[in-house]
Amino acid sequence: LWSIHVSGGFDEAFAEKTLNSPHEYVRAWTVRFLGDTGAVSEGLQRKLGERARDESSIVVRSQLACTAKRLPAGSAMPIVAELLRHREDVNDVHLPLLLWWAIEDKAISDTSGVLQLVESADVWQLPLVRKFIISRLARRLTAEGTVEAYTACARLLTLAPGDDNVDLVLQGMVEASSGRRLDGVPGSLQSALAYLRNRRPSDTRSLRLALRMGDAADAAVRLINDTAEPADNRVNIIR
C-alpha cells in the first residue's frame, strides 16, 4: 500500500477498494493517506462515513477520528457523528479523547457545524457524548469568550434534553468561568440562565455564572443569608 501511495497509484478508485480491505491496517492506512490530502471528494466522504458507522476495528476507528480532525468540518463531522455511536469505545484509553480532539478543532472555526452533532435528542444519550463531549464543548465555548461562543452555549442549553444534560452544559461553563469575569454576554445566554435560576433555584451553578456576568447580586445575597441553604452552596456564591 505504501509503495502504491509513494509511486502515485493511490487515487480515489484505489482508495475505495482498500477501504474495504479485510486487513484492518490496510483500512487504517487508507484512512490516514486520505487525511494527508486535507480534503476528500463527496464520494469518499460518504465512504468514510460508512466506514465509521460499520467499522469493527478499534485501530481503524481511531484513525478515522484522527483523520476527521484534519478534514474540513463539512467532511469531518459526519464521520465523528458515526463514531460517537460506538458505545463499545466509551472505556477505550484513546478514542474518546481523539473524538474530542476532532470536535475541539472545529468548535470555534465552525461552531454551527459542531452544534449539528447534538441537534438530535437521542445523541445526548450516547455514552461517548455524555461522558466526554458535552461538558468539554461548553467549557471550550465559554473559554472563548465571544458573543458567537456565548450564543452557542445558549443553544446548547436549549438543545439539552432533560436536567441531567443541562447539568453537563452548566458544569462545563462553570469550570471555564472560574476566576474570571464574563463580559459581553448576549441576551440569549442571560435569558437562558435566568430561566434556569427561576426553574431550579436549588442549583446554584446558573447563579454563579450570572454573578460572573455582573448580574443577579440581589439573588446571591438572599441565598447567602438563607440559613436553610447548604453551606457549600452559600460558600460557592460568596467566592
Side-chain angles (χ1 to χ4, degrees):
L1 180 61
W2 265 89
S3 298
I4 292 168
H5 174 62
V6 299
S7 61
F10 186 80
D11 56 17
E12 183 167 335
F14 187 79
E16 288 191 6
K17 292 180 180 179
T18 51
L19 277 174
N20 293 315
S21 168
H23 305 290
E24 63 180 346
Y25 284 98
V26 172
R27 299 196 301 275
W29 275 102
T30 298
V31 174
R32 161 64 192 275
F33 290 152
L34 291 173
D36 288 348
T37 66
V40 293
S41 69
E42 185 176 336
L44 279 175
Q45 175 189 322
R46 185 171 60 255
K47 292 289 186 183
L48 288 171
E50 292 170 355
R51 177 51 52 206
R53 181 192 65 206
D54 300 331
E55 182 55 59
S56 60
S57 167
I58 188 70
V59 172
V60 185
R61 292 199 299 273
S62 295
Q63 184 57 61
L64 282 160
C66 293
T67 290
K69 192 260 184 185
R70 307 172 72 193
L71 296 175
S75 299
M77 290 303 101
I79 297 170
V80 171
E82 295 294 349
L83 292 173
L84 288 171
R85 294 187 175 277
H86 285 269
R87 296 171 180 266
E88 66 270 30
D89 293 335
V90 70
N91 293 318
D92 186 73
V93 176
H94 304 293
L95 188 50
L97 293 181
L98 289 176
L99 286 169
W100 166 240
W101 188 47
I103 292 169
E104 183 185 25
D105 185 67
K106 322 296 182 191
I108 304 304
S109 62
D110 197 328
T111 306
S112 60
V114 169
L115 289 181
Q116 288 178 9
L117 286 174
V118 292
E119 285 188 340
S120 175
D122 71 299
V123 171
W124 289 74
Q125 307 310 319
L126 297 175
L128 282 167
V129 174
R130 288 183 55 80
K131 188 173 181 179
F132 295 98
I133 304 303
I134 298 300
S135 287
R136 284 181 170 86
L137 180 56
R139 186 173 65 198
R140 178 66 185 89
L141 291 169
T142 304
E144 185 66 13
T146 63
V147 171
E148 294 77 13
Y150 288 142
T151 301
C153 287
R155 178 67 175 153
L156 273 179
L157 287 170
T158 301
L159 289 170
D163 284 349
D164 54 341
N165 289 306
V166 170
D167 288 342
L168 294 175
V169 178
L170 288 176
Q171 186 59 38
M173 295 180 66
V174 167
E175 290 172 0
S177 66
S178 178
R180 56 182 285 223
R181 181 181 173 90
L182 303 179
D183 293 316
V185 176
S188 59
L189 183 53
Q190 293 180 4
S191 298
L193 292 173
Y195 170 76
L196 288 173
R197 290 201 309 274
N198 291 329
R199 189 170 68 83
R200 308 196 313 175
S202 62
D203 184 351
T204 62
R205 285 174 295 189
S206 55
L207 179 56
R208 290 160 66 183
L209 288 166
L211 289 170
R212 298 283 183 195
M213 300 172 189
D215 191 17
D218 289 345
V221 171
R222 285 196 299 272
L223 187 143
I224 291 166
N225 286 327
D226 184 357
T227 56
E229 190 71 27
D232 285 348
N233 287 349
R234 300 164 72 195
V235 169
N236 282 332
I237 295 303
I238 293 170
R239 284 175 177 160

